[in-house]
Amino acid sequence: DGGITQSPKYLFRKEGQNVTLSCEQNLNHDAMYWYRQDPGQGLRLIYYSQIVNDFQKGDIAEGYSVSREKKESFPLTVTSAQKNPTAFYLCASSILGAGAPGEQYFGPGTRLTVT
Amino acid sequence: AQTVTQSQPEMSVQEAETVTLSCTYDTSESDYYLFWYKQPPSRQMILVIRQEAYKQQNATENRFSVNFQKAAKSFSLKISDSQLGDAAMYFCAYRSLNNNDMRFGAGTRLTVKP
């Protein structure tokens, strides 16, 4: 079955600790994305990557870091510098290329709670 | 930067009836894509329908259809014969052809009453 997996589904951390959220896809998609979702708000882009070993900041990249060492994997680290890390995090991927509509396919999400 | 506005935070519909969710967007581009995504209580985002801006014909997918008004920058979603399983958050999204940035609206929560 092709798709995007995120683990874990729920994650709890103490304030001041870094935490890494996993995202893996077997769709052979070029691009991958990380979004944050807060109540009453839409999705806000944290980082995205169009190719291995390259990534760009989104609207709210401060306090987050990513890596893209493999096409299939795009882990997100929430650092202690992120002021308000408790949120629902969604990973997505899409095909790139001329003429491609670029709809994004999403993983099931990770709910991060920091206390 | 493009913005997407969903002016209806909540909507409700009677089962088997029709409901329309509104979406407007702001852009100076002529070519782009528009999407509607559904997020049920499981929180899994599901693509409902896609519209290419260069196509005049409105997209349809079974009970879901859109009313795309390019000049007015409006992209509404019509759900016909509403079912209990349609209850979810619905997000409108805009994707520029110039980059891979996708902009989402704040969402509309749809309740379906039996």
Side-chain angles (χ1 to χ4, degrees), chain B residues 15 20 32 53 58 65 67:
Chain B
E15 196 176 4
T20 298
Y32 46 87
N58 289 324
S65 61
N67 184 3

Side-chain angles (χ1 to χ4, degrees), chain A residues 25 28-34 45 47-57 66-68 70-74 92-98 104, chain B residues 95-101:
Chain A
Q25 56 101 356
N28 199 33
H29 285 176
D30 303 297
M32 296 187 74
Y33 312 80
W34 274 106
L45 183 65
Y47 269 98
Y48 68 98
S49 168
Q50 300 183 61
I51 194 170
V52 172
N53 292 323
D54 188 48
F55 44 83
Q56 288 76 42
K57 293 182 179 180
V66 293
S67 63
R68 185 92 186 271
K70 299 185 299 181
K71 187 176 184 178
E72 303 78 20
S73 179
F74 191 43
S93 69
S94 71
I95 296 171
L96 295 179
Q104 295 181 7
Chain B
R95 178 184 169 256
S96 168
L97 261 62
N98 294 326
N99 55 53
N100 289 302
D101 204 4

Side-chain angles (χ1 to χ4, degrees), chain A residues 9 33 35 37 40-43 45 48 50 59 88 90 96 99-108 111, chain B residues 33 35 37 39 42-47 50 52 54 89 91 95 97 99-107:
Chain A
K9 190 173 178 67
Y33 312 80
Y35 292 93
Q37 186 178 22
Q41 298 191 40
L43 280 63
L45 183 65
Y48 68 98
Q50 300 183 61
D59 298 323
F88 186 66
L90 283 160
L96 295 179
E103 59 256 35
Q104 295 181 7
Y105 295 85
F106 287 82
R111 172 68 184 176
Chain B
Y33 290 94
F35 306 89
Y37 281 89
Q39 188 180 42
S42 67
R43 305 198 77 171
Q44 173 75 57
M45 292 281 283
I46 302 164
L47 177 66
R50 176 186 76 221
E52 293 88 344
Y54 64 85
M89 283 289 287
F91 292 96
R95 178 184 169 256
L97 261 62
N99 55 53
N100 289 302
D101 204 4
M102 186 172 280
R103 296 286 162 173
F104 289 84

